[in-house]
Amino acid sequence: ALFNPGEDNTFTLDLNGDGKLEEIKLTAKDLGFPAVDRKYMAVDLFAEHPFDGTWYGKATYTFAKNEGNFEGQLLSDIGQADVSTSQAFDFPEFSVNSLGPLPNQRKHQLKLFGFYQLTPEWGVGGNLLWASGRPRNCIGNAPVPTGSDAPYVEGGPVSNYSGYGSAYFFCNGVASPRGSLGELDPDMKMDMNVVYKPNFAKGFQFKVDVFNLFNNQSVEAIEERRHARGATIVNTTYGQVQSYTAPRSVKLTASYDYKF
C-alpha cells in the first residue's frame, strides 16, 4: 500500500472476499512508522569582483547539513532508482537508526570562478570545486534472536521480511546509525576554458572547455550493503567503489550570434 508514514491512515479493503469494501482506520502508533524527517540547513558566504573590462572573480563557501530519515524520491545509498517507491518505509524496522546525515550531504563546499580578458579577441576562464565527501554507511542484516530466522530490532516485532537482506542500519549485529562511518574522500575538480572571438567575423565564437583538468577521479559512491540478499556472509563487493567522478574531457564549441 502507498500511504503517508508517520500519520494516521485509512485503508479500503475487501477483507472477507465478498466484494464489499471495508474501511480500516489505523493510527500512526498502530502502523509503527516514524514521521518523515528531512532538514536542509546551510550558510553561504561569498566574495565577488565584478567584471571591470579585464577580469571577473567570485569565491563561495557553503556549510551545509542535510539530515533526516528520508532522502526523497530515490534511495541512493543502495542505488535504488524506483522513483517514489523505494523500500525506505516498507517496514517500520527499516527506520530504526535511520536518522542522520543523508546521502547527498556535502558538509563543506568551496567554489572559485574566474575569467580574464587577455585581449579583445582572447579570454580565459576557469572554476574550481572542492567538496567534502558523502556520508558512509554499513547497511546490514538485523540481529536475529536465538532459535529464529527472523530479523529482530529492539522495540520492534519479530517478523520475517523475505527478499530484503541488507536493509537495516545494523552492522555485524549491532546498531550502525546512518552516517556513523564517517565520510568518503573529498571531491576536487578544476575546469578551464579558452574563448576566441575574431574581430574579422563579428558574432563568431570559438571555445575550448577542459573539464576535470587534472583528471582527479574521486570516489562518489561505494557498496554499503554488507550482505548479499538472503545471505549472512559478507558480500564480496561490500565497501568497493561503485562510481568515480567523470574523467577529464574536452568540448569544442563554435557558435554564431546574429541580431535581427
Side-chain angles (χ1 to χ4, degrees):
L2 297 179
F3 61 92
N4 294 320
E7 300 181 12
D8 298 348
N9 286 272
T10 299
F11 302 90
T12 305
L13 304 169
D14 179 9
L15 293 178
N16 300 319
D18 57 4
K20 296 180 180 180
L21 297 177
E22 301 176 55
E23 283 192 352
I24 309 299
K25 296 182 179 180
L26 297 175
T27 66
K29 184 178 180 180
D30 292 332
L31 291 166
F33 291 91
V36 172
D37 186 356
R38 185 179 65 223
K39 297 183 179 69
Y40 176 79
M41 298 171 287
V43 175
D44 287 307
L45 303 173
F46 75 93
E48 184 176 21
H49 181 278
F51 185 63
D52 58 4
T54 302
W55 71 283
Y56 166 84
K58 184 176 182 180
T60 67
Y61 168 74
T62 301
F63 172 78
K65 297 185 72 175
N66 188 21
E67 297 182 341
N69 61 5
F70 180 63
E71 179 186 359
Q73 294 187 337
L74 308 178
L75 205 59
S76 59
D77 48 12
I78 65 169
Q80 189 173 13
D82 305 330
V83 179
S84 295
T85 56
S86 70
Q87 70 180 37
F89 287 96
D90 281 9
F91 295 100
E93 289 76 10
F94 292 171
S95 298
V96 176
N97 302 319
S98 68
L99 191 63
L102 294 169
N104 56 355
Q105 174 177 281
R106 301 277 190 173
K107 188 175 292 185
H108 304 280
Q109 290 193 63
L110 176 65
K111 298 179 182 180
L112 304 176
F113 308 88
F115 180 79
Y116 191 85
Q117 192 71 43
L118 296 170
T119 70
E121 293 183 296
W122 290 91
V124 296
N127 62 78
L128 173 70
L129 166 68
W130 184 93
S132 55
R134 297 172 61 188
R136 294 184 59 171
N137 299 296
C138 177
I139 302 173
N141 295 335
V144 178
T146 304
S148 172
D149 62 351
Y152 171 75
V153 179
E154 290 182 1
V158 177
S159 304
N160 185 16
Y161 311 130
S162 60
Y164 281 87
S166 288
Y168 307 84
F169 286 95
F170 282 83
C171 191
N172 287 333
V174 298
S176 179
R178 183 191 294 275
S180 60
L181 269 65
E183 298 177 343
L184 297 175
D185 293 337
D187 186 12
M188 186 172 70
K189 184 175 66 172
M190 184 172 185
D191 304 329
M192 295 290 294
N193 63 70
V194 177
V195 179
Y196 174 54
K197 299 179 180 180
N199 287 329
F200 63 83
K202 297 294 185 181
F204 275 102
Q205 176 177 284
F206 302 94
K207 187 178 181 182
V208 179
D209 289 282
V210 182
F211 303 102
N212 197 1
L213 179 66
F214 299 110
N215 201 32
N216 181 44
Q217 295 177 51
S218 304
V219 174
E220 292 289 325
I222 62 173
E223 175 58 78
E224 298 184 331
R225 289 169 292 187
R226 186 170 177 80
H227 306 281
R229 178 173 292 185
T232 57
I233 60 174
V234 177
N235 194 345
T236 56
T237 60
Y238 171 67
Q240 292 188 3
V241 178
Q242 289 188 319
S243 65
Y244 294 92
T245 50
R248 179 172 50 233
S249 61
V250 178
K251 182 174 75 172
L252 304 177
T253 306
S255 62
Y256 176 68
D257 293 329
Y258 176 77
K259 293 183 180 181
F260 291 94

